[in-house]
Amino acid sequence: MSPDTYGILLVSFSKHSHQRNFVPLYLRHPRVGIVAVTDDVDITSEQRALNRQWARDLDVPYVENVERGLELAGVDIVSIGCEIERRSDVAERAAAAGKHLWIDKFLGATVAECDSVVAAVAAAGVSAIVPSYAYGELVRRSRKVLDDGQLGELLGVHVDVMFSKGWPRPIPERDQNRPFLPAGRWKFPDIKRELLTVGSYAVGLVQACCGPIRQVYGHAGAFFFTEHAAHGAEDFGTLTMIDDSGRTASLCGGRIGVATDAMGGPSRAWLVGTEGTAVVDVRQPAIHTMVRSKIVETDYAPAADDPMQWASGPPLMGSPIHPDAGLAEGLEDLVRAIDEGRSPHYSVRQARDNMEILISGYRSIVEGAPVSLPQPA
Amino acid sequence: MGKPSALLLAAPVQEQLIESISRRLNVTGVIGMGGTSRFRSLASPVFADIDSALAQARPDVVCFLAPSGRTGELMRQAIDNGLPVLSAGPPDMSARAWRGLSDQVENGGSPLVWGRRFAYSEVHRRLLEQRVQPAMGTPVYLRCVGGGDGGLLATWWSLCEMVEQAVALLGADPVHLYVSAKSARRRCHALATVVMANKASAQLIAIPSSFPCSGDLTLLCGGGLLTSHTAFGGPVGDRSGRSPDYWLATPDLTPEPEWLADFAGHCVRAADPPFATLSTYPAQRAILVALRSALKCGEVVEARAV
């Protein structure tokens, strides 16, 4: 690699992360190169096999033990794609080793873990990015509308983000009234907590448009998937939020099943101002694609090894004219941030606040009442 | 039998709506509500108050299309004159004044009903037709964008209407209703978050524009997703005055002409009103109390009477 290229160490290809989606970005970017794949020693044999397969495919070494991976020559950036429960520990170790961080969505499983990562990054003076939220079309277009000033003073932001993925089935009666599973347990073999997983994108937009959130009211409890109902864990949820200047925000987020949207699921926002209201829809403008054979001959079902479609998408009947290049923007921001010795636009502090909003939402769902932020430690 | 006749109480931004109604009913006059702006090109005669309007022509019904602080007093005035009253929303009255008015109506006074414009909306009807298909499954979530025209009372009316519509579309009554709101430059924006008895929920947005009733709806059910974007292509807010070069020509989907014609038809036939709403007042009044409180304290406030 040339001297002005940053070497990336890939930590884990957990199926609960988006590491597989990051690889093409790294391969395309002229200023970064993949050095190796690594993971902790005490992982499952399936995870180790998957990691090794990726290393082989990328033609880089697989290094057992993250500590050893961090010691490899040429590692500048650590791309963290392990499960959420291990993420803060890996991030802290990597920051302590002086590595810059690319962290998939969540810093840790709790606000305390997120705080530890924020402190570790600050102490190490490294650049750390959480690229999933602030660089996408939804935020970019919304910010443009707001920055153009056509809406006047912003009064509220309302966001719908839904993934038209997975195969819903009728919920057995025994699972229809299970107590709601509180925040804290995120990892399951068969499901993700969808208010966290999907709702975090909507929270990212709210963060981009509003001030710090100081009150949250959450609701969940109507299920699409038997798998979620069996755990009492939401596949869909809503949050109502108030920011520090009294602006009102709301979101819905969830996995709602295949074939519920022509383009993979609604992803849109209403920006309400004193002078007007704008609808931002990242699926529009679009080319609508109606192919007879794909409709009349279809016999579709998600792949048996990916029933919730974490690594695959539903059939689409069109595509946005302007595709979302958010992750690539994020990588560019990280590279520039490292060059300039600054923090990326959306860093660990904002990601920590995103998590606090979501966890407060979960608490509100359990308590059945609005909760105030910041939460006591 | 000729067209039923109506005296309308409306805001100047509702000129287009008044024109739509006048194609269906004989509009005997219009009284301006909500602010100091004036009607610009109205064909119907404009009056300052009910007495002067009634001195010119006696309508079959009186219809409130926009609220003001005097709505309750004007409703009582109409009922005192033996005129049936249809309103887009409830009156803002003290408990004592409300008891007096409701007693008058319940003890042989003229009919007084409000809300439920959405039930006459083609958008709502089509959505409901789809929603009840077995393949749609059970309702889970409703996002509704409605217009409040920026004023506090108009925002309240919009929330009341959307809550009623949520009950109809989600198929259950509310068990919790929370209101949050923000106002600036005399423009009020509010959100009602409603949790239903069947665990479905709704997020209902009142934007500070004269947005059409049932304009923008998203209804998520276990078996599919229903969306309407009927507001697009139609005139929305003050920007409707601008003449576009290229636009989507849409039919007039405003439900008010049929809503009012149905009510007036019942009244002309001396039949009971098509729906009754007096019993909804405490819950709707609680929304107004919560809205005022939310604006004052800048927090999410529960509407307790639900």
Side-chain angles (χ1 to χ4, degrees):
Chain A
M1 284 190 288
S2 68
D4 60 348
T5 299
Y6 295 117
I8 298 189
L9 176 69
L10 308 180
V11 178
S12 190
F13 277 85
S14 165
K15 66 177 181 178
H16 291 85
S17 87
H18 296 89
Q19 190 79 281
R20 60 185 173 273
N21 302 113
F22 303 149
V23 167
L25 302 171
Y26 301 150
L27 295 176
R28 276 198 301 268
H29 198 284
R31 300 268 324 272
V32 303
I34 297 170
V35 173
V37 177
T38 188
D39 209 331
D40 286 320
V41 177
D42 55 343
I43 56 174
T44 64
S45 54
E46 292 82 6
Q47 185 63 64
R48 185 175 294 105
L50 185 60
N51 293 339
R52 286 186 184 282
Q53 181 61 49
W54 271 101
R56 274 194 298 276
D57 291 349
L58 293 167
D59 197 22
V60 296
Y62 178 67
V63 180
E64 196 92 51
N65 192 335
V66 173
E67 305 295 347
R68 285 184 49 225
L70 292 170
E71 290 167 1
L72 288 175
V75 171
D76 304 291
I77 300 169
V78 177
S79 176
I80 300 172
C82 55
E83 297 87 351
I84 186 172
E85 287 78 3
R86 293 195 289 136
R87 218 164 281 178
S88 65
D89 178 52
V90 171
E92 286 174 55
R93 282 188 276 158
K99 309 302 180 189
H100 305 290
L101 307 179
W102 172 283
I103 306 172
D104 181 25
K105 291 187 76 170
F106 308 111
L107 307 183
T110 64
V111 173
E113 288 183 4
C114 295
D115 283 334
S116 296
V117 175
V118 172
V121 168
V126 296
S127 295
I129 189 170
V130 179
S132 310
Y133 310 121
Y135 301 92
E137 273 296 288
L138 196 58
V139 170
R140 199 184 64 77
R141 285 192 213 174
S142 297
R143 277 305 335 165
K144 181 168 188 327
V145 169
L146 295 177
D147 294 343
D148 284 351
Q150 294 175 52
L151 297 185
E153 185 176 334
L154 184 68
L155 299 172
V157 178
H158 307 280
V159 199
D160 289 350
V161 181
M162 303 178 220
F163 288 177
S164 294
K165 292 181 169 185
W167 198 261
R169 289 191 300 270
I171 308 302
E173 200 167 325
R174 66 173 186 277
D175 291 334
Q176 285 178 4
N177 291 303
R178 283 190 187 278
F180 183 78
L181 188 70
R185 187 176 173 202
W186 309 117
K187 185 183 168 189
F188 298 84
D190 53 346
I191 66 162
K192 293 180 180 179
R193 303 296 297 269
E194 302 294 356
L195 183 58
L196 179 89
T197 303
V198 184
S200 56
Y201 296 104
V203 171
L205 176 65
V206 171
Q207 287 182 293
C209 299
C210 296
I213 296 301
R214 59 178 174 80
Q215 196 183 27
V216 179
Y217 173 68
H219 174 70
F223 293 108
F224 291 85
F225 300 101
T226 54
E227 294 89 340
H228 288 81
H231 293 293
E234 82 294 343
D235 47 29
F236 179 86
T238 65
L239 296 183
T240 297
M241 294 152 279
I242 304 288
D243 83 354
D244 63 343
S245 65
R247 281 184 287 234
T248 184
S250 67
L251 68 85
C252 76
R255 190 173 301 264
I256 63 172
V258 295
T260 47
D261 186 80
M263 278 177 268
S267 181
R268 65 186 172 207
W270 289 264
L271 309 175
V272 183
T274 53
E275 307 303 321
T277 296
V279 184
V280 178
D281 186 340
V282 299
R283 311 292 190 211
Q284 303 293 337
I287 301 295
H288 299 269
T289 311
M290 307 297 288
V291 180
R292 185 180 303 111
S293 63
K294 284 193 175 177
I295 295 170
V296 301
E297 296 169 12
T298 192
D299 182 18
Y300 178 79
D305 62 350
D306 187 21
M308 288 290 172
Q309 301 189 288
W310 294 343
S312 59
L316 305 177
M317 303 180 82
S319 57
I321 289 170
H322 191 84
D324 197 327
L327 289 175
E329 295 280 333
L331 183 55
E332 192 59 40
D333 188 28
L334 178 63
V335 168
R336 284 197 203 136
I338 297 170
D339 286 345
E340 297 162 12
R342 61 168 172 83
S343 174
H345 174 60
Y346 195 98
S347 186
V348 288
R349 178 73 219 182
Q350 292 91 337
R352 175 255 177 234
D353 293 346
N354 187 318
M355 189 66 166
E356 185 183 40
I357 292 166
L358 289 162
I359 287 180
S360 301
Y362 279 97
R363 194 179 137 202
S364 170
I365 293 168
V366 172
E367 295 179 0
V371 302
S372 297
L373 277 72
Q375 288 281 287
Chain B
M1 192 184 290
K3 286 183 189 176
S5 59
L7 170 65
L8 306 181
L9 292 92
V13 294
Q14 293 176 310
E15 272 192 41
Q16 202 164 1
L17 177 59
I18 294 166
E19 292 304 323
S20 293
I21 290 172
S22 64
R23 285 193 283 273
R24 187 76 185 265
L25 292 97
N26 175 24
V27 176
T28 60
V30 180
I31 297 172
M33 302 279 274
T36 54
S37 56
R38 300 272 187 271
F39 295 103
R40 283 179 290 192
S41 58
L42 210 54
S44 308
V46 177
F47 299 100
D49 53 53
I50 286 188
D51 286 340
S52 54
L54 296 185
Q56 292 296 312
R58 183 177 173 81
D60 293 317
V61 298
V62 175
C63 179
F64 290 74
L65 294 168
S68 83
R70 296 170 56 228
T71 301
E73 179 194 330
L74 293 166
M75 284 178 174
R76 191 187 49 72
Q77 217 178 327
I79 288 166
D80 285 346
N81 277 286
L83 289 167
V85 172
L86 175 67
S87 174
D92 172 23
M93 303 175 84
S94 67
R96 187 175 169 187
W98 168 247
R99 272 197 302 275
L101 181 63
S102 58
D103 284 350
Q104 188 180 354
V105 171
E106 285 173 336
N107 293 310
S110 299
L112 166 62
V113 297
W114 63 78
R116 298 197 67 79
R117 287 175 299 165
F118 67 86
Y120 295 82
S121 151
E122 284 190 62
V123 179
H124 176 81
R125 285 172 178 162
R126 298 283 174 271
L127 213 63
L128 202 54
E129 278 173 19
Q130 297 296 320
R131 205 278 272 162
V132 298
Q133 298 293 317
M136 285 305 296
T138 53
V140 171
Y141 171 75
L142 174 70
R143 168 79 80 186
C144 183
V145 181
D149 198 29
L152 173 76
L153 294 176
T155 301
W156 174 43
W157 279 18
S158 179
L159 292 182
C160 291
E161 178 97 26
M162 288 190 285
V163 170
E164 285 192 299
Q165 189 169 16
V167 170
L169 290 173
L170 295 174
D173 288 327
V175 290
H176 294 290
L177 195 162
Y178 287 90
V179 177
S180 51
K182 167 80 174 170
S183 182
R185 300 182 203 171
R186 303 171 68 90
R187 310 288 280 170
C188 180
H189 162 54
L191 167 76
T193 303
V194 193
V195 177
M196 301 297 186
N198 60 0
K199 296 187 180 178
S201 64
Q203 290 181 317
L204 313 171
I205 309 167
I207 64 172
S209 299
S210 53
F211 205 66
C213 179
S214 294
D216 206 344
L217 292 159
T218 301
L219 177 61
L220 175 63
C221 298
L225 182 67
L226 301 170
T227 55
S228 76
H229 298 296
T230 46
F232 296 147
V236 176
D238 295 338
R239 287 160 209 270
S240 61
R242 188 173 63 85
S243 177
D245 298 317
Y246 182 81
W247 70 97
L248 182 66
T250 55
D252 182 358
L253 293 173
T254 51
E256 284 87 351
E258 190 185 342
W259 168 70
L260 178 50
D262 188 35
F263 176 75
H266 277 78
C267 294
V268 168
R269 294 192 304 272
D272 287 335
F275 51 91
T277 49
L278 293 185
S279 63
T280 64
Y281 190 72
Q284 293 182 332
R285 173 82 187 164
I287 295 174
L288 179 60
V289 172
L291 174 59
R292 285 185 167 131
S293 176
L295 283 167
K296 190 174 177 186
C297 67
E299 293 187 350
V300 179
V301 176
E302 184 164 16
R304 288 284 181 186
V306 172

